Structures are given as C-alpha cells and as structure tokens.
Amino acid sequence: MVRGFLGDQSNASFYAGILISSFAFSEALTGMFWGTLSDRVGRKPVLLLGCAGTMLSMLLMGFATNFWMALFGRALGGLLNGNIGVIQTMVGELVGDRPQYEPRAYAVMPFVWTIGTIIGPAISGFLCNPCQTYPALFSNGGIFARFPYLLPNLVCAALLLISIIAGLFMLEETHPDLQPWSTRAEFENSVADTPLMATVGSVAHAGADLRAESYGTFNRVDIQESETWIVNADGSSSPSSNPPSSENIMTRQIVMLVMALGIFTYHTMAYDHLLPIFLEDKQVSDILTLSTTVVDMSGGLGMTTQQVGMIMAVSGVIALFIQAVAFPLFAEWLGVWKLFLMVTILHPIAYFIVPFISLLPTNLIYPGIYAALTIRNFPYILAYPLILILIKEACPKPSVLGKINGLAASAAAACRTLAPPIAGLLYGLGSQLGFTGIAWWASGLVAVLGAFQLFYIKRDRSKKSTVRLPCTEPVENSLEDKDLIRIVVSEV
C-alpha cells in the first residue's frame, strides 16, 4: 500500500513503519480515557463506539488517495478505539470470583487475536487491487480501479458492522454498578458489590424503629455508617487505618504489573517485527558453517515472500494449539503465579537462539525455524493472559477496573509504538557490523530485564469471601427466603 502511494521505493519501509506505529501511538494517548469512561457509562457503549471508530478508520483507509490520508485514517482508528482495555475488563467481570475459570476466559482474546492475524492478511492479499488480480470481475474504469485498497477495507468494515449490530442486541452490560437487578435470584447469583439499603430493614420488620441504636440481636447498628474493620487471629478487632480510597488506585502492585506488561509487549513486538526481516534478508553463504564465530554472523535466510507467509501461518497454528490446549493445562497444574514466573524466566531464550538458525545446514533450516517458533510461542502465548489475570487480582475495587485496564492498554500501545523502529534500527546497524544478532539479543536483554523485575512483584494474596448469617430475630409474616446479613471477610 505504501509503495503505491510513494514514488520513492527506498523509503517505503520507513513510511510503512510510521503507518503501522500511528495506530498504537494514538491508542496509547486515549486508552486510559476510554477505560475511565467505561467505568462511568458502562462497558457496552464504549466497546460499540470503539468498533464504530475502527469501521470509520477502515473506510478512510480504503478511500485514501495518498499516504497522509491513510495515516490520518489509521491514527483516527487508534484514537477512537479503546477496546483492548474494555474487553479485558469485561472478561474479568464475567469471571468474577470464580478463579478456576480465569485461564480459559483470558485465553479467549489472544486466541481470537491469533485467528485475526491469519485471516486479516489473507483478506488483504486476496482482495487488494482487484482490477489487476481479477480483471474479469472488476473493470479498470470502476471505483475499485480508482481506489485499489477499498475492497479489503470494505469487507473488514462490513464485518465490524455485523459485530456492532450483534453487540447491540446480544451483548450484556458487565459493569457491576450498572446491572438491572430485577429478582432476588439474580441478586443472589451475582458477584457485584451492592451496598445494603436501609429499606431492607423496614420491609423485614415494619414495626421497628430504624433510628434506634439497637435492633434485633445486634447492638449499636448504624445503617448510615460504613466502616472497614480488621479482625485479628486472636479474635480482637480494630478499624482499618487505610480504608479504600477512590483516588488511590495506583498501588505499587498495579504499577509493577503495568510495567511488566509494557516490557513484555516491547520485546514481543520487536520479535514480530524482526522475524520476517530475518527470514527474507539475503543469505551470506560464507557464514553457513558451524565453525563460524558468533561475531561473524550476518544476513538472514534469504527466503521468498511465499515461504515467509507459510512459516507465519504455521506459527499461527502453533500459537492456537498452545492457547487452546497447553495454557489451560499448565495453568491448572502450576497455578497462575508459578506459571507466570516460569514463562517470564524462559522468555529470553527465544531471542538468543534465533541468530544461530543461519548456521544450520540447509536440510535443518525448517526444523530449526519451527523449533525456535515453538520455544518462542510457549512463553509468549501464556504470559499475556497471565499478566491480565494478575492485574485483575491486584485491582483495589471493581469500579476502577476499567481505568486500570485502560492504563495497561495505553502502556502496551506505547511500547508497540517504540519497538519496531528501535528493532529495525538495531538490525540495520548489525548488518553494517556483520552481526545481525545484535537486534535479537538486544530484545533478549529487555526480556531479561522483565525477568529481574519479578523480584519487585509480589503476589497479592488478598481473598474475599461472603459469610451469610440469618437474623435470629423472629420476623412477622416470614418469607420463604430469609433476610440475610452479608459480611465480607478479607484475608490480609
């Protein structure tokens, strides 16, 4: 697309990088805003608005006649799309206090993302410039001749329109404070934190005076007062000195996990950017021997675009298998925290081994590539949902989960913006120095930094449970469902 807009082919890769990074950069600017807005107005409207913004971006890209118009459309899509953080929040709210379902639930989004990375390029490749690809179906004087990139963007916009209509009628709001409670059964089965209403007492016992300090078997009950108490192991209790604050959501644990997500996003994005370059880069024949020293490694594997496409497709299949099969099994076996430690420590290995593929004999090139991709995909696919689960666990209260996920999405988008140009610059420098492994190992050092950061992340062991105690005071006209007092107990 960029080559079609620019006459100077030598700068096409540079401008392509700008076009790709513009979406992530714009998303980084507004991700936290959309997350905060979803805390106020709900997840569903923000999600549908994000889909509409992406659809508008697709249409602008399709009707673009020059690079700058395409850049505007791409950047506008990033500004109007905060769906990554919102979807993460909705998944967390759907799971609620059922941690046994978290691994499978949080694996859905990267699973669908991987499918999109396979289908999306296929749609673009088959439908781009249809007048030349399918001259019998599209005339040279039609609209698709004037706008050669319109057809694939129209197809993607149509898919987004279908998703908006489906979401409008079928998607349910998940925000805990915006639930339309209608029956007692729905309230009993909900995991949302809803404050007790003073009218509950009056309905249960109409003859009671709620202004009194004592009611039933409970002494000094003040319905208008909400306090947080700490119960010690010996049975003594004291009011909490640090009650939850709506302003103090940036805890140390949240900051460390957002940093971990940023580090992870940076080095994985660098890997995705470097891999096709390395596969297509010209092969230097005199280095294909195991006796070559490390500092003499230069060049890539000299593959064609079709070969690279096949390798990327196989990598997608490997990733899908790990997401669907390996991730739930390992998460159940090791648990979220131990599995996160393992994949973070193993991640640097994936970057260290890639440059050595060029030293393999010709008959071992493909096995070496697929082995390297498997080693890379295992920690890559597992780490992302694990970080999301840990962020959800560290969230101080459900009403700010959207804001925190928006912050995490913004940090990840900022790192996606920086990774491609830095990695590309280092690869070019390595080519001049005769050592292209410098780009891979520099990304590996960032992964090592992520492993060292584990020492600053402490698993939040806070657990909440609900103790239901029936009232001992006889209630006139007793109902089938006795009124309950709910006491939330936090393990500190």
Side-chain angles (χ1 to χ4, degrees):
M1 183 178 186
V2 175
R3 287 193 178 99
F5 289 145
L6 301 174
D8 187 6
Q9 301 292 321
S10 60
N11 292 327
S13 59
F14 172 74
Y15 286 99
I18 294 179
L19 188 64
I20 294 173
S21 299
S22 61
F23 183 91
F25 177 75
S26 301
E27 188 181 12
L29 297 177
T30 59
M32 192 170 182
F33 165 78
W34 292 117
T36 305
L37 184 64
S38 74
D39 286 333
R40 297 178 180 177
V41 304
R43 320 299 184 200
K44 180 176 178 177
V46 176
L47 184 63
L48 297 180
L49 181 60
C51 291
T54 304
M55 184 174 68
L56 177 61
S57 171
M58 290 288 183
L59 294 176
L60 289 175
M61 292 277 289
F63 284 104
T65 56
N66 55 66
F67 172 79
W68 301 109
M69 186 175 177
L71 181 64
F72 173 76
R74 183 76 173 164
L76 183 65
L79 289 172
L80 298 178
N81 191 338
N83 285 2
I84 293 180
V86 176
I87 293 175
Q88 294 169 1
T89 304
M90 295 183 75
V91 172
E93 289 169 341
L94 287 171
V95 173
D97 294 330
R98 295 169 292 181
Q100 67 271 24
Y101 298 119
E102 284 180 338
R104 293 186 181 274
Y106 277 96
V108 171
M109 193 169 76
F111 183 85
V112 176
W113 180 279
T114 303
I115 294 177
T117 59
I118 297 174
I119 298 177
I123 292 176
S124 177
F126 281 111
L127 301 181
C128 181
N129 205 348
C131 294
Q132 294 183 6
T133 309
Y134 311 104
L137 299 176
F138 300 92
S139 63
N140 290 326
I143 186 174
F144 295 109
R146 183 181 177 187
F147 304 104
Y149 310 106
L150 176 60
L151 184 58
N153 283 282
L154 277 179
V155 172
C156 293
L159 294 175
L160 283 167
L161 180 61
I162 294 174
S163 69
I164 292 174
I165 296 174
L168 190 63
F169 293 101
M170 302 176 65
L171 184 65
E172 296 182 2
E173 178 60 59
T174 62
H175 195 296
D177 295 337
L178 298 176
Q179 298 300 316
W181 307 118
S182 56
T183 65
R184 185 179 181 86
E186 289 180 355
F187 178 80
E188 295 291 345
N189 294 327
S190 171
V191 296
D193 293 329
T194 305
L196 294 174
M197 299 298 179
T199 55
V200 172
S202 62
V203 173
H205 197 165
D209 184 4
L210 296 180
R211 294 172 297 177
E213 291 185 350
S214 178
Y215 173 60
T217 60
F218 295 91
N219 297 325
R220 302 189 60 82
V221 175
D222 187 354
I223 297 178
Q224 306 299 325
E225 194 172 299
S226 177
E227 295 182 354
T228 301
W229 289 70
I230 297 177
V231 180
N232 301 318
D234 58 359
S236 61
S237 62
S238 60
S240 173
S241 59
N242 295 312
S245 172
S246 59
E247 302 296 331
N248 186 26
I249 67 170
M250 297 303 297
T251 63
R252 181 178 181 274
Q253 183 76 350
I254 291 293
V255 173
M256 288 294 103
L257 289 172
V258 170
M259 289 179 59
L261 179 62
I263 293 173
F264 165 79
T265 304
Y266 176 88
H267 64 72
T268 55
M269 188 66 184
Y271 191 106
D272 292 337
H273 181 73
L274 290 173
L275 183 60
I277 297 176
F278 174 73
L279 295 177
E280 291 189 52
D281 196 11
K282 62 181 181 179
Q283 191 175 29
V284 182
S285 59
D286 60 353
I287 67 167
L288 294 179
T289 172
L290 292 176
S291 62
T292 307
T293 61
V294 172
V295 294
D296 293 333
M297 287 191 298
S298 179
L301 301 180
M303 294 185 171
T304 64
T305 303
Q306 290 77 13
Q307 290 174 320
V308 173
M310 180 60 67
I311 291 174
M312 302 303 290
V314 173
S315 176
V317 173
I318 296 173
L320 289 177
F321 175 81
I322 294 174
Q323 287 171 344
V325 179
F327 175 62
L329 294 177
F330 275 90
E332 184 178 357
W333 175 38
L334 295 175
V336 172
W337 178 246
K338 291 182 179 179
L339 185 58
F340 174 65
L341 294 178
M342 183 184 76
V343 298
T344 305
I345 294 173
L346 293 178
H347 226 139
I349 300 175
Y351 299 89
F352 180 76
I353 63 177
V354 174
F356 292 97
I357 298 177
S358 61
L359 304 180
L360 295 174
T362 305
N363 61 330
L364 295 179
I365 289 293
Y366 276 98
I369 292 174
Y370 294 135
L373 288 176
T374 302
I375 294 173
R376 184 263 176 157
N377 279 330
F378 181 80
Y380 164 61
I381 295 302
L382 270 61
Y384 182 68
L386 291 173
I387 296 176
L388 298 184
I389 292 173
L390 293 174
I391 290 177
K392 181 212 168 189
E393 290 183 352
C395 180
K397 60 181 190 175
S399 60
V400 296
L401 183 59
K403 185 175 184 178
I404 291 175
N405 278 326
L407 172 64
S410 294
C415 293
R416 289 201 309 270
T417 304
L418 296 174
I422 295 177
L425 180 65
L426 290 175
Y427 192 90
L429 178 63
S431 298
Q432 297 176 2
L433 298 176
F435 178 43
T436 52
I438 187 175
W440 292 102
W441 291 359
S443 300
L445 287 177
V446 177
V448 171
L449 177 64
F452 276 106
Q453 198 217 6
L454 291 173
F455 294 102
Y456 300 93
I457 301 177
K458 295 183 179 180
R459 179 78 185 277
D460 186 2
R461 303 301 300 179
S462 175
K463 300 292 183 183
K464 288 187 177 181
S465 59
T466 300
V467 180
R468 299 184 176 184
L469 304 174
C471 294
T472 58
E473 174 71 10
V475 180
E476 296 178 4
N477 300 325
S478 176
L479 300 175
E480 183 177 356
D481 292 334
K482 294 183 178 180
D483 291 315
L484 302 174
I485 294 179
R486 293 170 175 79
I487 303 174
V488 178
V489 181
S490 298
E491 178 186 350
V492 182

